[in-house]
Amino acid sequence: MLELMTEPVVVTHSLTKRYGQRTAVDGLDMHVPAGVVAGFIGANGAGKTTTLRMLLGLVRPSAGTATVLGHDLGDPSSYLRKVGALIESPAFYPGLSGERNLKVQTSLGGIPERRIPEVLEVVGLADRGGDAYKSYSLGMKQRLGIASALLGEPELLVLDEPTNGLDPTGIRDMRELLRQVADTGLTVLVSSHQLVELEQVCDWLVMVDAGRQVFQGTTSQLLAAGSDRLVLATEHSRDLDRLVAIVQALGALASRQGRKVHVPLGGVDDVTTFLAGVNRAAMGEAIVLVEIAVTAGTLEDRYASLVGAA
Amino acid sequence: MNAYRSELVKLGRRTTLLAAGAVLPFLALLATTLVILNATDRAVVAAADGFEPSLAQLGSSLGITAGFRASKGFLGILVFTLFLTSFSSEYVQGTLRTMLLREPRRGRLLLGKLAAVLSLVAGSLLLAEVLSIGLSAALVDNRGVGISAWWTGAGLQQAGGDYLNALLAATLFGAMGTAVGVLVRSTSVGLALGLAWLLPLEHIIQNAWADAARWFPGLLFDAVASGGTVTTTYGRGLVLGGAVAVALLAAGATSFVRRDVSG
């Protein structure tokens, strides 16, 4: 088991953050083993960014404890030298070049300047480092943000929604960059609500909903936990909404996606009996099913079933 | 030291240097030109700090920095704006979180940034004074004024004292700009509040209540820049103005160190 073989890099116990009456993070317990690419998953507003900000010393917890690289959260200066981070959108001085922005960082962190061309090379900005940051595309800005995070040769890389706002090409480039960085052996904690992206690169997952942890473990554990999906299609598309209601009446989650109905099978004990029940109920309502297929579940399905159950 | 060096890297950009570092010298040169051209040989004239000194004052040891002293009216607003934008823009652009990830000891970051911006102002003031003296020496000859008194011990002491007072006043205005920038976290709101207070409000109240100059921060800081005024002694300006600046800076530093950075 991955979690037993390695020491956790991040551990939180009942970590909580309240803003007045609103609780953004609610008693979060999580851990991230060393050397993994860990996906931190949750919908917008689930508490991901607030949690990451607490781990990075930007926001004080209201309650709970945590350690990062074995150091207490209350003393971020003891561990931040070994952490690289990109929180939300990259933030640099627009009038300075990419290189000069990184020089501001190396001066501040006491990092050798030789790292600047090295990290620019890693993120594919070697030929644009001299250009003003304000002239960069969104994808280039994100890449400069990752370059900045890599400057101090970190043991832990924290990325918050690194694909936000990127076009499909940018997302693919970012995924490849993430793989490339992860191959060097450092631990990566990456938050996102784009589950398809995380499914392809993460080997450890922490899922949160409304500030609470709903799952943590390996990606394979999660996907193996009965998360196949039933896909149904009807002869007439006008029947789709009624079919959703029929499936829901049988106690399963169902949603209409285009001209099909998707049903996560995570909570279904006997799939054969369930399928027979769906078919029988549809026939009873004079709905003709033209497709009944069971497909391997995705992270999205599993997340939906976990959040739905939470 | 790292925070200081880092801020200098940021400020060292050519356009920043021009915008932030060359304005004071430019205004000093403008004021110097006006002072030399306006100098009059009438017996009764305004104070030696104004734009219309007497030719006799120009030829005395006071004359060496007459132009530089006349430009001090711009000092407070410019320095306040520079410090305010240096800090508030870090919040507005989100760059503060990038910096705090690199230097989480917030007190050190604040001090380093402050020292770097103050260094820029100190250099800018020195350049302003040197250029002003040079231009004065070049122009004053046309007015038939001898400048031998400028290069005496008294003249050089005057130049040194005027520089020191300008730097002290800049430090006080800088502390105020920093505090407002950190507390308000918005460049536009900070500028609106600060400039409204320093420009019209203090002076409107002063017109109705002469003692305002003895109590209001901007007017106290101005008294330091002038080496004391008729209503406010130099010592009072320094002690009371210094206390106000320390209080403002303490409030700003507490906020900077303790408040969450969520933007």
Side-chain angles (χ1 to χ4, degrees), chain A residues 17 53 56-60 76-77 80-81 85 87 89 91-96 100 104-105 107-111 148 151, chain B residues 2-3 5-6 9-10 12-13 90 93-95 97-106 109 257-263:
Chain A
K17 181 64 184 180
R53 284 179 184 276
L56 296 168
L58 297 173
V59 166
R60 287 168 195 269
S77 61
L80 277 186
R81 280 187 183 281
I87 293 294
S89 55
F92 293 102
Y93 303 108
L96 300 187
R100 200 168 184 100
V104 171
Q105 295 291 310
S107 302
L108 188 57
I111 299 164
S148 170
L151 271 176
Chain B
N2 283 351
R5 272 199 295 268
S6 166
V9 171
K10 189 182 95 181
R13 184 174 151 241
E90 301 284 8
Q93 293 173 335
T95 41
R97 68 171 183 264
T98 310
M99 301 190 85
L100 287 174
L101 293 176
R102 205 61 75 188
E103 176 50 280
R105 292 164 296 191
R106 298 186 184 191
L109 185 62
V257 170
R258 296 200 61 81
R259 277 169 74 183
D260 288 345
V261 176
S262 47

Side-chain angles (χ1 to χ4, degrees), chain B residues 26-116:
Chain B
F26 170 76
L27 291 174
L29 289 175
L30 183 65
T32 300
T33 306
L34 293 173
V35 163
I36 303 294
L37 293 178
N38 286 343
T40 174
D41 55 2
R42 281 180 297 169
V44 180
V45 292
D49 278 9
F51 279 87
E52 202 177 344
S54 70
L55 291 173
Q57 283 169 331
L58 266 190
S60 73
S61 58
L62 284 173
I64 186 170
T65 49
F68 178 66
R69 285 198 308 278
S71 69
K72 73 180 183 303
F74 308 110
L75 177 69
I77 295 301
L78 288 173
V79 172
F80 173 85
T81 303
L82 178 62
F83 276 80
L84 180 138
T85 51
S86 285
F87 282 89
S88 61
S89 65
E90 301 284 8
Y91 289 98
V92 174
Q93 293 173 335
T95 41
L96 182 63
R97 68 171 183 264
T98 310
M99 301 190 85
L100 287 174
L101 293 176
R102 205 61 75 188
E103 176 50 280
R105 292 164 296 191
R106 298 186 184 191
R108 288 190 187 197
L109 185 62
L110 179 72
L111 280 178
K113 279 181 66 67
L114 262 176

Side-chain angles (χ1 to χ4, degrees), chain A:
Chain A
M1 291 284 286
L2 184 59
E3 57 186 310
L4 297 178
M5 290 189 323
T6 54
E7 283 295 311
V9 167
V10 175
V11 182
T12 74
H13 294 295
S14 305
L15 195 64
T16 301
K17 181 64 184 180
R18 294 184 205 92
Y19 293 103
Q21 296 295 310
R22 188 174 69 85
T23 302
V25 177
D26 190 3
L28 180 68
D29 292 309
M30 66 179 265
H31 65 274
V32 176
V36 302
V37 178
F40 193 32
I41 297 172
N44 287 329
K48 302 186 300 293
T49 300
T50 305
T51 301
L52 297 182
R53 284 179 184 276
M54 284 193 281
L55 295 176
L56 296 168
L58 297 173
V59 166
R60 287 168 195 269
S62 306
T65 58
T67 59
V68 177
L69 296 168
H71 297 275
D72 189 84
L73 200 63
D75 182 18
S77 61
S78 63
Y79 60 81
L80 277 186
R81 280 187 183 281
K82 292 178 275 185
V83 177
L86 170 60
I87 293 294
E88 289 183 309
S89 55
F92 293 102
Y93 303 108
L96 300 187
S97 67
E99 276 172 4
R100 200 168 184 100
N101 266 299
L102 294 183
K103 197 175 173 192
V104 171
Q105 295 291 310
T106 55
S107 302
L108 188 57
I111 299 164
E113 277 188 38
R114 65 168 169 77
R115 288 289 296 155
I116 295 174
E118 289 173 9
V119 294
L120 285 174
E121 185 72 40
V122 168
V123 300
L125 283 179
D127 56 340
R128 294 293 305 270
D131 295 347
Y133 175 72
K134 63 186 170 195
S135 71
Y136 285 8
S137 68
L138 192 57
M140 291 166 68
K141 287 177 178 173
Q142 293 285 59
R143 281 189 274 157
L144 187 70
I146 292 184
S148 170
L150 293 172
L151 271 176
E153 301 185 81
E155 294 174 22
L156 169 65
L157 185 63
V158 178
L159 303 174
D160 184 19
E161 305 276 5
T163 55
N164 247 6
L166 297 184
D167 59 21
T169 308
I171 291 173
R172 190 195 61 212
D173 290 349
M174 187 59 65
R175 190 169 60 226
E176 283 170 7
L177 178 60
L178 206 56
R179 276 211 190 95
Q180 185 187 340
V181 167
D183 285 345
T184 63
L186 81 170
T187 308
V188 181
L189 175 58
V190 54
S191 86
S192 182
H193 60 274
Q194 298 191 9
L195 307 187
V196 177
E197 292 309 313
L198 290 185
E199 190 176 353
Q200 297 181 47
V201 290
C202 294
D203 35 30
W204 183 265
L205 297 171
V206 178
M207 287 185 168
V208 288
D209 180 50
R212 293 180 187 165
Q213 185 240 97
V214 292
F215 173 84
Q216 70 176 338
T218 62
T219 309
S220 52
Q221 278 175 335
L222 181 74
L223 293 176
S227 58
D228 285 353
R229 177 175 47 170
L230 174 64
V231 179
L232 303 168
T234 57
E235 183 182 20
H236 304 293
S237 58
R238 63 173 181 267
D239 295 331
L240 286 168
D241 289 336
R242 282 198 300 142
L243 182 60
V244 168
I246 287 168
V247 175
Q248 286 174 342
L250 291 170
L253 295 167
S255 60
R256 186 175 164 175
Q257 294 183 24
R259 291 181 56 85
K260 294 183 178 178
V261 171
H262 286 218
V263 185
L265 294 173
V268 176
D269 294 329
D270 184 341
V271 175
T272 307
T273 307
F274 178 72
L275 286 178
V278 169
N279 201 8
R280 197 175 300 118
M283 283 172 63
E285 292 288 327
I287 297 172
V288 178
L289 297 176
V290 294
E291 181 183 342
I292 303 176
V294 176
T295 63
T298 65
L299 202 54
E300 224 164 64
D301 299 329
R302 193 65 185 122
Y303 178 74
S305 67
L306 282 167
V307 169

